[in-house]
Amino acid sequence: MSKFFYKLIYFTGIFFLNTRIFSHFNFLQESEFWVDEELDELQNCRLRTLLNHAYKTSDYYRKVLDGINIAQVNIKTLDQIPILSKASLLANHEKMYSSLYKKSNLILSETSGSSGDPFVFYRDKQWDGAHRAAIWRGIKQYGVEPYDKNLYLWGFIFTPLLKTKVRILDFLQNRFRIFNFTDTKILTRLKHVKGVIFISGYSSVINKLSEMVVKNGIVFDDLKMIKGTSEKIYGIYQENAEAAFGLPIVSEYGAAETGIISYTCPAGNDHVIRENVIVEVVGGRAVITNLNSFSLPIIRYELGDYIELCNQTCSCGRHSQIVTDIMGRVGRDIVGDNYEYPSLTLYYIFKELALVQSISLSYSGYQSVKGVLDLSIYQPISSEISDVLCDISKRYMPDIKLNIVVDKLEDRSRKIRDFESVL
């Protein structure tokens, strides 16, 4: 099939499902190189519109915002509004919906649930259009269109009926999917790589593909972009992608509830999609306001990630607000014999290993016994590296015994949770 055929299908689909994607995309193209001051003004305007809407039409937010002078709230004084936790969202979402919308007219959406708290909700067409337009603008930076031929690395358990449905949808979207990650299955499916323009999916699976591409001498002649979603992108993943494809993995960072938060530009920086979201960092944690979430207002929502945010000039010419690091999922504390340590401690241990020893590892921790941490490493390491890792860990967590195990990459938990505890 020709590219024109898939382009026609894509635009026809937008026409019947949600034409607001076009207007949002056109605006995002117009605002792509706006300076910070222009985006500040836009965010303040959209924030006040959202707050007024939430106060007038949502039972939950009428109570939350009561007593707050909404007219005086802006991106610098947003902290006077309470933070919305994931637990509060799950418990109160029915009261949070705007009375202006009927669910029958909204678009069903859901989180993956891989972080432990699945959530099904309904978003209006403006919200949906802004989300999809942000993805479209993100990939277009690399000369890629949504209807270009693509390889989709995403795992599902299919019933026969669902499998047939997914195959039809994949055909209409000019993509082929690998959802069984055994070496034999991947190599069989890779016979279809000719003409693939972009690859997207779990970053850990992209890494597995990178290793297989190098090992088997597979060539992607037309590849323009590799997009990693839903998982942390480790340094070793980037190294393997460069070796296999000559391209880095682009980060598409976001969530179903928040929309796309940031996208990697061609210069390698993750610019916040400021037209759609306000990003705060509170105690190292990502707090997101979705400026298009009118059916179910998402205001100062604690996403559950540790991130670093800064303002810096980028050679690409885009605005300066950049997510410099996504450090991992917020988790329970690591419990030692005498002390407790935030789960973020693991991030700093492995960051030191990478900076000082030039060793980049994919890892996850698990604790079931006080004072003992089981640490899985998802690539081969020598006994010397293991010793260095133990030495660094001992300085950060002196009363923790470390058990290091080398595991298979495909056994790694989804998302970017670096630590889990059953204590």
Side-chain angles (χ1 to χ4, degrees):
M1 296 290 182
S2 67
K3 182 174 179 177
F4 175 78
F5 170 78
Y6 288 106
K7 181 177 181 179
L8 180 63
I9 289 177
Y10 180 77
F11 283 99
T12 301
I14 291 178
F15 179 80
F16 282 104
L17 296 175
N18 188 2
T19 56
R20 295 196 180 187
I21 297 173
F22 289 126
S23 58
H24 278 285
F25 175 70
N26 289 336
F27 177 74
L28 287 177
Q29 287 288 93
E30 176 188 331
S31 63
E32 186 168 12
F33 292 94
W34 279 12
V35 297
D36 291 297
E37 291 76 15
E38 291 174 299
L39 291 168
D40 287 347
E41 184 178 350
L42 176 69
Q43 284 191 325
N44 283 327
C45 179
R46 290 188 168 181
L47 174 62
R48 283 190 288 270
T49 299
L50 177 65
L51 293 177
N52 277 302
H53 167 82
Y55 181 76
K56 292 176 182 177
T57 69
S58 166
D59 291 339
Y60 176 86
Y61 278 107
R62 190 172 297 112
K63 295 178 180 178
V64 170
L65 298 173
D66 191 42
I68 296 175
N69 186 349
I70 294 175
Q72 298 299 317
V73 177
N74 57 49
I75 57 176
K76 294 182 179 179
T77 63
L78 192 53
D79 59 358
Q80 63 189 289
I81 298 173
I83 289 176
L84 174 66
S85 68
K86 183 67 171 284
S88 293
L89 177 61
L90 291 171
N92 298 293
H93 69 276
E94 290 297 341
K95 299 176 184 177
M96 294 171 64
Y97 280 104
S98 167
S99 60
L100 297 184
Y101 297 89
K102 294 181 178 179
K103 287 184 180 178
S104 58
N105 296 327
L106 299 175
I107 298 170
L108 178 67
S109 186
E110 59 184 325
T111 64
S112 66
S114 57
S115 59
D117 296 307
F119 177 49
V120 177
F121 63 102
Y122 297 85
R123 57 188 180 192
D124 58 273
K125 288 191 174 182
Q126 175 167 320
W127 182 350
D128 179 75
H131 176 85
R132 297 181 187 279
I135 296 173
W136 190 354
R137 185 180 77 174
I139 66 175
K140 195 173 179 65
Q141 297 176 91
Y142 299 88
V144 173
E145 300 289 353
Y147 43 81
D148 284 335
K149 186 173 183 179
N150 62 97
L151 170 60
Y152 195 45
L153 305 174
W154 207 267
F156 293 91
I157 299 175
F158 292 119
T159 63
L161 180 61
L162 183 56
K163 192 170 184 177
T164 299
K165 178 182 178 181
V166 167
R167 281 178 172 170
I168 292 171
L169 291 174
D170 282 346
F171 168 75
L172 294 175
Q173 296 177 76
N174 198 13
R175 71 185 181 196
F176 68 95
R177 180 193 305 260
I178 295 177
F179 54 89
N180 189 323
F181 303 115
T182 66
D183 290 2
T184 302
K185 290 289 185 181
I186 289 181
L187 287 174
T188 300
R189 295 292 288 158
L190 288 182
K191 293 177 181 178
H192 303 279
V193 299
K194 185 177 181 181
V196 166
I197 303 299
F198 69 98
I199 297 170
S200 62
Y202 289 120
S203 59
S204 62
V205 183
I206 291 173
N207 184 62
K208 182 176 178 62
L209 176 65
S210 300
E211 293 173 342
M212 294 186 64
V213 164
V214 171
K215 180 179 178 181
N216 293 278
I218 300 168
V219 178
F220 287 73
D221 290 322
D222 303 305
L223 193 64
K224 294 182 178 180
M225 185 188 72
I226 309 165
K227 181 177 74 173
T229 61
S230 292
E231 289 185 309
K232 187 172 179 177
I233 302 173
Y234 290 92
I236 190 64
Y237 294 179
Q238 293 288 19
E239 293 172 17
N240 289 339
E242 289 278 5
F245 308 106
L247 295 172
I249 301 174
V250 169
S251 172
E252 180 185 278
Y253 175 51
E257 315 98 298
T258 63
I260 305 301
I261 296 170
S262 67
Y263 228 102
T264 308
C265 75
N269 287 315
D270 296 349
H271 297 265
V272 173
I273 313 297
R274 293 194 61 195
E275 298 91 335
N276 291 351
V277 296
I278 296 172
V279 180
E280 303 170 80
V281 178
V282 181
R285 303 183 181 206
V287 175
I288 311 298
T289 298
N290 185 327
L291 295 169
N292 298 285
S293 58
F294 286 91
S295 56
L296 177 66
I298 302 294
I299 301 170
R300 300 205 78 216
Y301 173 61
E302 187 178 323
L303 179 58
D305 294 340
Y306 285 114
I307 68 169
E308 289 182 349
L309 187 71
C310 79
N311 289 85
Q312 65 184 52
T313 302
C314 181
S315 61
C316 76
R318 293 170 178 83
H319 70 80
S320 69
Q321 192 177 69
I322 289 169
V323 177
T324 55
D325 208 344
I326 304 167
M327 298 178 282
R329 285 273 165 184
V330 173
R332 297 175 61 183
D333 287 342
I334 302 170
V335 181
D337 289 327
N338 303 302
Y339 304 100
E340 294 185 358
Y341 309 92
S343 58
L344 191 60
T345 303
L346 287 177
Y347 165 80
Y348 290 109
I349 290 171
F350 281 88
K351 182 176 182 179
E352 179 174 331
L353 188 70
L355 294 178
V356 178
Q357 302 290 334
S358 299
I359 299 170
S360 181
L361 299 176
S362 172
Y363 65 91
S364 63
Y366 178 81
Q367 188 171 35
S368 59
V369 178
K370 180 180 178 181
V372 179
L373 176 64
D374 296 321
L375 192 62
S376 293
I377 305 297
Y378 297 98
Q379 60 218 70
I381 60 171
S382 65
S383 59
E384 289 80 7
I385 295 176
S386 180
D387 290 341
V388 171
L389 180 56
C390 288
D391 289 342
I392 296 174
S393 299
K394 185 60 68 175
R395 286 194 279 106
Y396 283 89
M397 303 182 295
D399 60 343
I400 290 285
K401 178 184 177 182
L402 203 62
N403 291 331
I404 298 177
V405 179
V406 176
D407 283 329
K408 295 180 180 178
L409 190 60
E410 52 265 33
D411 294 333
R412 192 182 196 284
S413 298
R414 293 298 181 205
K415 284 288 186 183
I416 50 179
R417 187 179 294 279
D418 294 334
F419 172 72
E420 295 186 51
S421 173
V422 294
L423 290 180

